[in-house]
Amino acid sequence: MQNEDKRLLSADYRRMFVAMSFLVAAFNFADRAVLAVLAQPIKRDLGLTDFQLGILQGVAFAFLYAILGLPIGRLAERVSRVRIISAAVIFWSVMTAACGLIGSFAQLLLCRVGVGMGEAGAQPATSSLVSDHFPRERRASIMSLIFLGSPAGTFLGALVGGWVAAHWGWRMAFFALGIPGILVGILVLLVLREPRRGLADNAPREPSPPPNFRAFLRVVGRKRGLLFVILGGSMAGFGMTAISQFLAVYLARMYDLPVQQAGSLYGAISAIALTAGLVGGSFGTDWLSRRGDPRWPAWGAAIGLAIAPFLYWIAFNTQSMLWGSVMLCLSGGTLLIFYGPTLGMIQNLLEPRMRATGAALFAILYTIFGSGLGPTAVGWLSDHYATAVFTGGDYLAQCHGGRAALAAAKGALDPCAIAATYGVKSGLMTAVCIFFLASVCYLLAARTLRQDFYVVGEEKA
């Protein structure tokens, strides 16, 4: 083994790689969380409906992410993944800062499209790098450590976004998170190095061209376990992203909270749930796989997804803010069991030169179903359910532009507030039903998982 390979597999370098990847993930999710926290004041200032909020947090983010994700994943099979990550972080951070300059729904829509374009490049390249630095039995755990940046980033985005918005307005909150992200992108380029493909698998040093996309699709079609893992994770993303993007709105309406308090509570709930789910799911299923059956990553994901809807239904029907928050933490932690094992299984099922493409395919479907359709569907459902129960006439005409978030004085709630609270709660309760279908996909994946795992030399078979 050459000196450079030894250095890239050394404990010191791998710790630095994980730390930098954690930081990238943190700013990735901070830039997502800040819009979720600022949704209510943005809705009020720009005169938006919940459906438009759903588009901003859903389709706008997912549109070019879905278009560019696969080409970027294919590019990551050929060129430096470190440079791809650096460029992606810088671009999405610039577009996040630009959100503070907008003056209309259309302008904000374009900025969120730009954020999605940037974030399309980070996850596939990061997942591929993890597979070159760590052996198969550690990849889910390492991915969970990296994606602990998501609760940290969500908490950071919620806390900073809410605090800055309360003191200087919601526009300044986008600058407060976008500008530091640019510095992180530069730091990635300065400290990380590109490893050779298949380094941790002890693959042959001779470079081989990446298989074409048709060959990749044949592998996906042949490995049914991989196909069902990708489908299950994408469905789970629908409900998870819908909850994430509308949870701050739900808390503000349900408990009549100002933006800073709703943002802080949202950040705390998200951080606790994400941390518990990522750590418990990844380390737990890795531990069970080493000591028992290698199908535990799929089984663990299936169990968590089957239980999560029942816990969410309880949480959304709890009137106490304390117990509602506790149940939301428990629900989210149970749901998030699937995420780390999913990323690990995708890497473990593919040969080194297909791993970025596999991660990109998952990211695209996850983004379309999750980031794209999830929040958009909940926004539409929220307006639909609110219209059905509104007693003051035409809900969208009477409550358009944010009156739904305000309670009337003297103890009686404004009919707009009553309808809006019912709408977002019912929309979220409907969205979590998709977790049952995702659970079935993971159970189907488990049936062929053992024979589908990649072994060195398989690509030549």
Side-chain angles (χ1 to χ4, degrees):
M1 183 178 291
Q2 296 186 357
N3 290 336
E4 180 65 10
D5 288 349
K6 291 180 180 178
R7 190 178 79 82
L8 295 181
L9 291 177
S10 68
D12 288 342
Y13 180 82
R14 292 199 291 191
R15 279 193 292 266
M16 183 175 67
F17 166 75
V18 170
M20 285 303 307
S21 299
F22 173 95
L23 196 59
V24 169
F27 275 88
N28 185 318
F29 279 81
D31 289 347
R32 302 185 194 192
V34 67
L35 182 60
V37 170
L38 302 177
Q40 201 63 36
I42 291 173
K43 172 187 171 84
R44 182 172 56 249
D45 288 356
L46 299 184
L48 308 180
T49 65
D50 279 356
F51 182 49
Q52 287 175 308
L53 285 181
I55 291 174
L56 288 172
Q57 299 179 93
V59 172
F61 176 85
F63 179 66
L64 280 181
Y65 191 123
I67 292 176
L68 294 177
L70 196 57
I72 292 175
R74 295 297 295 166
L75 184 66
E77 309 288 14
R78 295 171 168 81
V79 304
S80 170
R81 291 158 290 182
V82 171
R83 292 183 181 180
I84 288 176
I85 294 169
S86 175
V89 176
I90 292 171
F91 186 78
W92 89 55
S93 298
V94 168
M95 297 309 297
T96 295
C99 291
L101 302 174
I102 61 94
S104 67
F105 169 75
Q107 291 172 355
L108 185 54
L109 183 72
L110 290 175
C111 288
R112 294 308 293 176
V113 168
V115 173
M117 287 174 61
E119 294 189 3
Q123 183 177 313
T126 299
S127 297
S128 180
L129 286 172
V130 167
S131 69
D132 287 338
H133 286 300
F134 297 92
R136 185 175 80 182
E137 63 273 11
R138 295 189 61 194
R139 287 170 189 158
S141 301
I142 295 300
M143 288 302 299
S144 76
L145 290 177
I146 290 172
F147 276 92
L148 284 178
S150 59
T154 300
F155 186 72
L156 175 69
L159 193 66
V160 172
W163 187 83
V164 172
H167 289 82
W168 293 289
W170 59 265
R171 295 179 185 277
M172 289 302 298
F174 286 110
F175 290 111
L177 288 165
I179 294 173
I182 297 172
L183 301 178
V184 171
I186 296 172
L187 190 61
V188 167
L189 192 60
L190 293 176
V191 303
L192 293 186
R193 295 292 178 268
E194 182 74 11
R196 67 179 178 86
R197 314 284 171 156
L199 177 60
D201 289 315
N202 198 27
R205 174 169 293 278
E206 294 77 15
S208 58
N212 60 40
F213 189 60
R214 184 176 298 177
F216 168 78
L217 292 178
R218 284 199 298 269
V219 171
V220 174
R222 185 173 74 247
K223 296 190 175 187
R224 296 298 180 90
L226 174 62
L227 178 63
F228 283 117
V229 165
I230 292 174
L231 290 177
S234 302
M235 290 183 185
F238 177 98
M240 188 181 85
T241 311
I243 293 167
S244 174
Q245 296 303 105
F246 271 93
L247 186 57
V249 173
Y250 166 80
L251 293 169
R253 294 178 186 177
M254 183 71 181
Y255 303 116
D256 191 26
L257 302 176
V259 61
Q260 183 175 358
Q261 190 175 350
S264 298
L265 184 58
Y266 162 77
I269 291 171
S270 299
I272 293 170
L274 284 164
T275 302
L278 287 171
V279 173
S282 299
F283 282 87
T285 57
D286 270 0
W287 184 85
L288 289 168
S289 295
R290 288 194 299 269
R291 288 160 176 78
D293 195 300
R295 292 173 292 182
W296 265 110
W299 287 339
I303 292 169
L305 288 164
I307 296 173
F310 299 104
L311 299 178
Y312 272 116
W313 291 334
I314 295 172
F316 290 132
N317 285 284
T318 301
Q319 299 300 313
S320 164
M321 184 167 67
L322 173 61
W323 289 110
S325 300
V326 170
M327 286 304 303
L328 285 170
C329 289
L330 181 60
S331 306
T334 304
L335 162 64
L336 262 295
I337 289 172
F338 88 93
Y339 197 75
T342 298
L343 297 176
M345 283 188 286
I346 291 171
Q347 296 301 298
N348 292 340
L349 289 163
L350 289 168
E351 62 151 293
R353 282 285 189 171
M354 290 185 177
R355 287 169 179 166
T357 305
L361 178 61
F362 170 64
I364 290 168
L365 294 177
Y366 182 93
T367 302
I368 292 173
F369 285 104
S371 301
L373 299 182
T376 305
V378 169
W380 181 86
L381 286 169
S382 177
D383 284 338
H384 173 75
Y385 287 127
T387 299
V389 300
F390 184 60
T391 58
D394 186 336
Y395 170 73
L396 294 179
Q398 296 292 323
C399 304
H400 185 68
R403 282 190 64 229
L406 304 176
K410 308 300 182 183
L413 286 177
D414 183 358
C416 285
I418 295 174
T421 302
Y422 176 83
V424 71
K425 180 178 79 170
S426 300
L428 289 169
M429 289 178 65
T430 302
V432 300
C433 294
I434 199 170
F435 296 148
F436 293 124
L437 293 176
S439 177
V440 172
C441 285
Y442 281 100
L443 290 176
L444 292 173
R447 296 172 62 186
T448 62
L449 202 60
R450 282 186 293 195
Q451 55 265 41
D452 287 343
F453 279 133
Y454 165 77
V455 293
V456 175
E458 173 186 297
E459 66 273 16
K460 298 179 180 179

